[in-house]
mmCIF file of all heavy atoms in Angstrom:
data_model
loop_
_atom_site.group_PDB
_atom_site.id
_atom_site.type_symbol
_atom_site.label_atom_id
_atom_site.label_comp_id
_atom_site.label_asym_id
_atom_site.label_seq_id
_atom_site.Cartn_x
_atom_site.Cartn_y
_atom_site.Cartn_z
ATOM 1 N N VAL A 462 104.973 96.120 152.805
ATOM 2 C CA VAL A 462 104.863 94.869 153.545
ATOM 3 C C VAL A 462 106.197 94.148 153.432
ATOM 4 O O VAL A 462 106.748 94.023 152.345
ATOM 5 C CB VAL A 462 103.727 93.984 152.986
ATOM 6 C CG1 VAL A 462 103.766 92.603 153.608
ATOM 7 C CG2 VAL A 462 102.374 94.642 153.210
ATOM 8 N N GLU A 463 106.740 93.729 154.567
ATOM 9 C CA GLU A 463 108.056 93.086 154.536
ATOM 10 C C GLU A 463 107.949 91.614 154.909
ATOM 11 O O GLU A 463 107.119 91.223 155.730
ATOM 12 C CB GLU A 463 109.008 93.778 155.517
ATOM 13 C CG GLU A 463 109.002 95.280 155.325
ATOM 14 C CD GLU A 463 110.381 95.889 155.360
ATOM 15 O OE1 GLU A 463 111.331 95.259 154.840
ATOM 16 O OE2 GLU A 463 110.502 96.998 155.902
ATOM 17 N N LEU A 464 108.801 90.824 154.267
ATOM 18 C CA LEU A 464 108.824 89.393 154.532
ATOM 19 C C LEU A 464 110.291 89.036 154.671
ATOM 20 O O LEU A 464 111.032 89.040 153.697
ATOM 21 C CB LEU A 464 108.169 88.650 153.358
ATOM 22 C CG LEU A 464 107.991 87.148 153.436
ATOM 23 C CD1 LEU A 464 107.224 86.744 154.681
ATOM 24 C CD2 LEU A 464 107.262 86.648 152.200
ATOM 25 N N LYS A 465 110.703 88.763 155.924
ATOM 26 C CA LYS A 465 112.149 88.689 156.161
ATOM 27 C C LYS A 465 112.699 87.278 156.224
ATOM 28 O O LYS A 465 113.896 87.079 156.210
ATOM 29 C CB LYS A 465 112.501 89.451 157.434
ATOM 30 C CG LYS A 465 112.255 90.935 157.234
ATOM 31 C CD LYS A 465 112.793 91.753 158.373
ATOM 32 C CE LYS A 465 112.728 93.237 157.996
ATOM 33 N NZ LYS A 465 112.364 94.113 159.076
ATOM 34 N N GLU A 466 111.811 86.287 156.347
ATOM 35 C CA GLU A 466 112.378 84.937 156.406
ATOM 36 C C GLU A 466 112.127 84.172 155.114
ATOM 37 O O GLU A 466 111.131 84.365 154.441
ATOM 38 C CB GLU A 466 111.817 84.166 157.600
ATOM 39 C CG GLU A 466 110.307 84.111 157.642
ATOM 40 C CD GLU A 466 109.811 83.643 159.015
ATOM 41 O OE1 GLU A 466 109.896 84.414 159.986
ATOM 42 O OE2 GLU A 466 109.359 82.499 159.075
ATOM 43 N N ARG A 467 113.085 83.309 154.817
ATOM 44 C CA ARG A 467 112.936 82.467 153.645
ATOM 45 C C ARG A 467 111.969 81.336 153.959
ATOM 46 O O ARG A 467 111.792 80.975 155.127
ATOM 47 C CB ARG A 467 114.296 81.880 153.251
ATOM 48 C CG ARG A 467 115.193 82.897 152.587
ATOM 49 C CD ARG A 467 116.510 82.259 152.256
ATOM 50 N NE ARG A 467 117.000 82.682 150.951
ATOM 51 C CZ ARG A 467 118.039 82.125 150.351
ATOM 52 N NH1 ARG A 467 118.662 81.099 150.896
ATOM 53 N NH2 ARG A 467 118.434 82.549 149.171
ATOM 54 N N HIS A 468 111.372 80.788 152.911
ATOM 55 C CA HIS A 468 110.451 79.678 153.104
ATOM 56 C C HIS A 468 111.185 78.517 153.775
ATOM 57 O O HIS A 468 112.312 78.204 153.410
ATOM 58 C CB HIS A 468 109.890 79.246 151.747
ATOM 59 C CG HIS A 468 108.918 78.120 151.851
ATOM 60 N ND1 HIS A 468 107.753 78.212 152.565
ATOM 61 C CD2 HIS A 468 108.952 76.876 151.344
ATOM 62 C CE1 HIS A 468 107.105 77.079 152.487
ATOM 63 N NE2 HIS A 468 107.806 76.241 151.752
ATOM 64 N N GLN A 469 110.542 77.905 154.740
ATOM 65 C CA GLN A 469 111.123 76.806 155.527
ATOM 66 C C GLN A 469 112.400 77.208 156.239
ATOM 67 O O GLN A 469 113.251 76.374 156.542
ATOM 68 C CB GLN A 469 111.405 75.589 154.635
ATOM 69 C CG GLN A 469 110.111 74.989 154.101
ATOM 70 C CD GLN A 469 110.357 73.735 153.309
ATOM 71 O OE1 GLN A 469 111.404 73.575 152.686
ATOM 72 N NE2 GLN A 469 109.394 72.843 153.334
ATOM 73 N N ASN A 470 112.524 78.506 156.467
ATOM 74 C CA ASN A 470 113.666 79.024 157.204
ATOM 75 C C ASN A 470 115.027 78.610 156.677
ATOM 76 O O ASN A 470 115.984 78.482 157.435
ATOM 77 C CB ASN A 470 113.545 78.665 158.678
ATOM 78 C CG ASN A 470 112.478 79.517 159.328
ATOM 79 O OD1 ASN A 470 112.440 80.735 159.102
ATOM 80 N ND2 ASN A 470 111.582 78.897 160.066
ATOM 81 N N ILE A 471 115.088 78.374 155.377
ATOM 82 C CA ILE A 471 116.394 78.121 154.788
ATOM 83 C C ILE A 471 117.237 79.369 155.029
ATOM 84 O O ILE A 471 116.760 80.491 154.869
ATOM 85 C CB ILE A 471 116.241 77.862 153.274
ATOM 86 C CG1 ILE A 471 115.448 76.577 153.062
ATOM 87 C CG2 ILE A 471 117.598 77.775 152.591
ATOM 88 C CD1 ILE A 471 114.998 76.367 151.650
ATOM 89 N N LEU A 472 118.499 79.152 155.464
ATOM 90 C CA LEU A 472 119.314 80.305 155.822
ATOM 91 C C LEU A 472 119.740 81.088 154.582
ATOM 92 O O LEU A 472 119.957 80.516 153.520
ATOM 93 C CB LEU A 472 120.560 79.828 156.567
ATOM 94 C CG LEU A 472 120.295 79.253 157.953
ATOM 95 C CD1 LEU A 472 121.563 78.600 158.485
ATOM 96 C CD2 LEU A 472 119.807 80.353 158.895
ATOM 97 N N LEU A 473 119.856 82.369 154.768
ATOM 98 C CA LEU A 473 120.473 83.162 153.706
ATOM 99 C C LEU A 473 121.929 82.732 153.624
ATOM 100 O O LEU A 473 122.501 82.283 154.609
ATOM 101 C CB LEU A 473 120.367 84.646 154.035
ATOM 102 C CG LEU A 473 119.042 85.311 153.651
ATOM 103 C CD1 LEU A 473 118.896 86.652 154.323
ATOM 104 C CD2 LEU A 473 118.915 85.452 152.145
ATOM 105 N N PRO A 474 122.534 82.840 152.455
ATOM 106 C CA PRO A 474 123.892 82.314 152.318
ATOM 107 C C PRO A 474 124.912 83.094 153.145
ATOM 108 O O PRO A 474 124.714 84.263 153.468
ATOM 109 C CB PRO A 474 124.180 82.481 150.823
ATOM 110 C CG PRO A 474 123.240 83.527 150.363
ATOM 111 C CD PRO A 474 122.025 83.410 151.210
ATOM 112 N N HIS A 475 125.990 82.401 153.450
ATOM 113 C CA HIS A 475 127.107 83.046 154.118
ATOM 114 C C HIS A 475 128.005 83.637 153.029
ATOM 115 O O HIS A 475 128.275 83.007 152.019
ATOM 116 C CB HIS A 475 127.866 81.991 154.929
ATOM 117 C CG HIS A 475 129.139 82.505 155.483
ATOM 118 N ND1 HIS A 475 129.175 83.438 156.500
ATOM 119 C CD2 HIS A 475 130.426 82.248 155.154
ATOM 120 C CE1 HIS A 475 130.437 83.724 156.770
ATOM 121 N NE2 HIS A 475 131.217 83.010 155.969
ATOM 122 N N VAL A 476 128.449 84.869 153.239
ATOM 123 C CA VAL A 476 129.278 85.513 152.212
ATOM 124 C C VAL A 476 130.723 85.597 152.680
ATOM 125 O O VAL A 476 131.010 86.115 153.760
ATOM 126 C CB VAL A 476 128.761 86.939 151.899
ATOM 127 C CG1 VAL A 476 129.587 87.563 150.774
ATOM 128 C CG2 VAL A 476 127.284 86.907 151.526
ATOM 129 N N GLU A 477 131.653 85.028 151.895
ATOM 130 C CA GLU A 477 133.094 85.114 152.180
ATOM 131 C C GLU A 477 133.700 86.149 151.257
ATOM 132 O O GLU A 477 133.551 86.075 150.045
ATOM 133 C CB GLU A 477 133.785 83.777 151.876
ATOM 134 C CG GLU A 477 133.576 82.694 152.881
ATOM 135 C CD GLU A 477 134.550 82.736 154.051
ATOM 136 O OE1 GLU A 477 135.479 83.591 154.073
ATOM 137 O OE2 GLU A 477 134.371 81.896 154.957
ATOM 138 N N LEU A 478 134.411 87.079 151.840
ATOM 139 C CA LEU A 478 135.027 88.140 151.064
ATOM 140 C C LEU A 478 136.451 87.739 150.686
ATOM 141 O O LEU A 478 137.190 87.213 151.508
ATOM 142 C CB LEU A 478 135.057 89.401 151.924
ATOM 143 C CG LEU A 478 135.422 90.699 151.233
ATOM 144 C CD1 LEU A 478 134.393 91.021 150.175
ATOM 145 C CD2 LEU A 478 135.474 91.805 152.283
ATOM 146 N N VAL A 479 136.835 87.972 149.432
ATOM 147 C CA VAL A 479 138.201 87.679 149.015
ATOM 148 C C VAL A 479 138.793 88.922 148.358
ATOM 149 O O VAL A 479 138.225 89.450 147.404
ATOM 150 C CB VAL A 479 138.239 86.509 148.010
ATOM 151 C CG1 VAL A 479 139.669 86.254 147.561
ATOM 152 C CG2 VAL A 479 137.633 85.260 148.615
ATOM 153 N N ASP A 480 139.920 89.382 148.885
ATOM 154 C CA ASP A 480 140.580 90.561 148.336
ATOM 155 C C ASP A 480 141.490 90.128 147.181
ATOM 156 O O ASP A 480 142.599 89.656 147.392
ATOM 157 C CB ASP A 480 141.387 91.245 149.440
ATOM 158 C CG ASP A 480 142.095 92.493 148.939
ATOM 159 O OD1 ASP A 480 142.090 92.738 147.705
ATOM 160 O OD2 ASP A 480 142.645 93.222 149.772
ATOM 161 N N ILE A 481 141.030 90.285 145.970
ATOM 162 C CA ILE A 481 141.813 89.749 144.844
ATOM 163 C C ILE A 481 142.968 90.662 144.448
ATOM 164 O O ILE A 481 143.860 90.266 143.721
ATOM 165 C CB ILE A 481 140.929 89.424 143.598
ATOM 166 C CG1 ILE A 481 140.029 90.595 143.235
ATOM 167 C CG2 ILE A 481 140.099 88.172 143.826
ATOM 168 C CD1 ILE A 481 139.266 90.372 141.942
ATOM 169 N N LYS A 482 142.943 91.906 144.918
ATOM 170 C CA LYS A 482 144.070 92.784 144.614
ATOM 171 C C LYS A 482 145.314 92.256 145.339
ATOM 172 O O LYS A 482 146.382 92.110 144.760
ATOM 173 C CB LYS A 482 143.758 94.211 145.073
ATOM 174 C CG LYS A 482 144.740 95.220 144.497
ATOM 175 C CD LYS A 482 144.182 96.626 144.494
ATOM 176 C CE LYS A 482 144.435 97.233 145.864
ATOM 177 N NZ LYS A 482 143.506 98.316 146.176
ATOM 178 N N GLU A 483 145.103 91.959 146.604
ATOM 179 C CA GLU A 483 146.165 91.433 147.436
ATOM 180 C C GLU A 483 146.693 90.102 146.862
ATOM 181 O O GLU A 483 147.889 89.896 146.728
ATOM 182 C CB GLU A 483 145.580 91.213 148.850
ATOM 183 C CG GLU A 483 146.577 90.895 149.916
ATOM 184 C CD GLU A 483 147.648 91.982 150.043
ATOM 185 O OE1 GLU A 483 147.333 93.163 149.777
ATOM 186 O OE2 GLU A 483 148.798 91.623 150.372
ATOM 187 N N LEU A 484 145.759 89.240 146.494
ATOM 188 C CA LEU A 484 146.159 87.927 145.971
ATOM 189 C C LEU A 484 146.907 88.051 144.654
ATOM 190 O O LEU A 484 147.864 87.321 144.392
ATOM 191 C CB LEU A 484 144.919 87.043 145.780
ATOM 192 C CG LEU A 484 144.314 86.512 147.080
ATOM 193 C CD1 LEU A 484 142.948 85.905 146.813
ATOM 194 C CD2 LEU A 484 145.247 85.483 147.714
ATOM 195 N N ALA A 485 146.436 88.992 143.813
ATOM 196 C CA ALA A 485 147.105 89.178 142.524
ATOM 197 C C ALA A 485 148.537 89.630 142.743
ATOM 198 O O ALA A 485 149.460 89.187 142.062
ATOM 199 C CB ALA A 485 146.347 90.195 141.683
ATOM 200 N N ARG A 486 148.701 90.511 143.713
ATOM 201 C CA ARG A 486 150.050 90.984 144.008
ATOM 202 C C ARG A 486 150.950 89.832 144.439
ATOM 203 O O ARG A 486 152.108 89.760 144.094
ATOM 204 C CB ARG A 486 149.985 92.039 145.113
ATOM 205 C CG ARG A 486 151.285 92.812 145.234
ATOM 206 C CD ARG A 486 151.142 94.087 146.038
ATOM 207 N NE ARG A 486 149.986 94.054 146.896
ATOM 208 C CZ ARG A 486 149.253 95.111 147.229
ATOM 209 N NH1 ARG A 486 149.550 96.268 146.772
ATOM 210 N NH2 ARG A 486 148.219 95.002 148.026
#
Side-chain angles (χ1 to χ4, degrees):
V462 171
E463 310 223 38
L464 184 55
K465 293 189 170 142
E466 55 194 73
R467 285 179 139 190
H468 181 61
Q469 294 184 330
N470 287 315
I471 295 168
L472 291 170
L473 276 165
H475 171 70
V476 183
E477 284 275 356
L478 191 63
V479 178
D480 180 352
I481 50 174
K482 193 159 84 204
E483 190 57 31
L484 286 168
R486 194 165 21 212

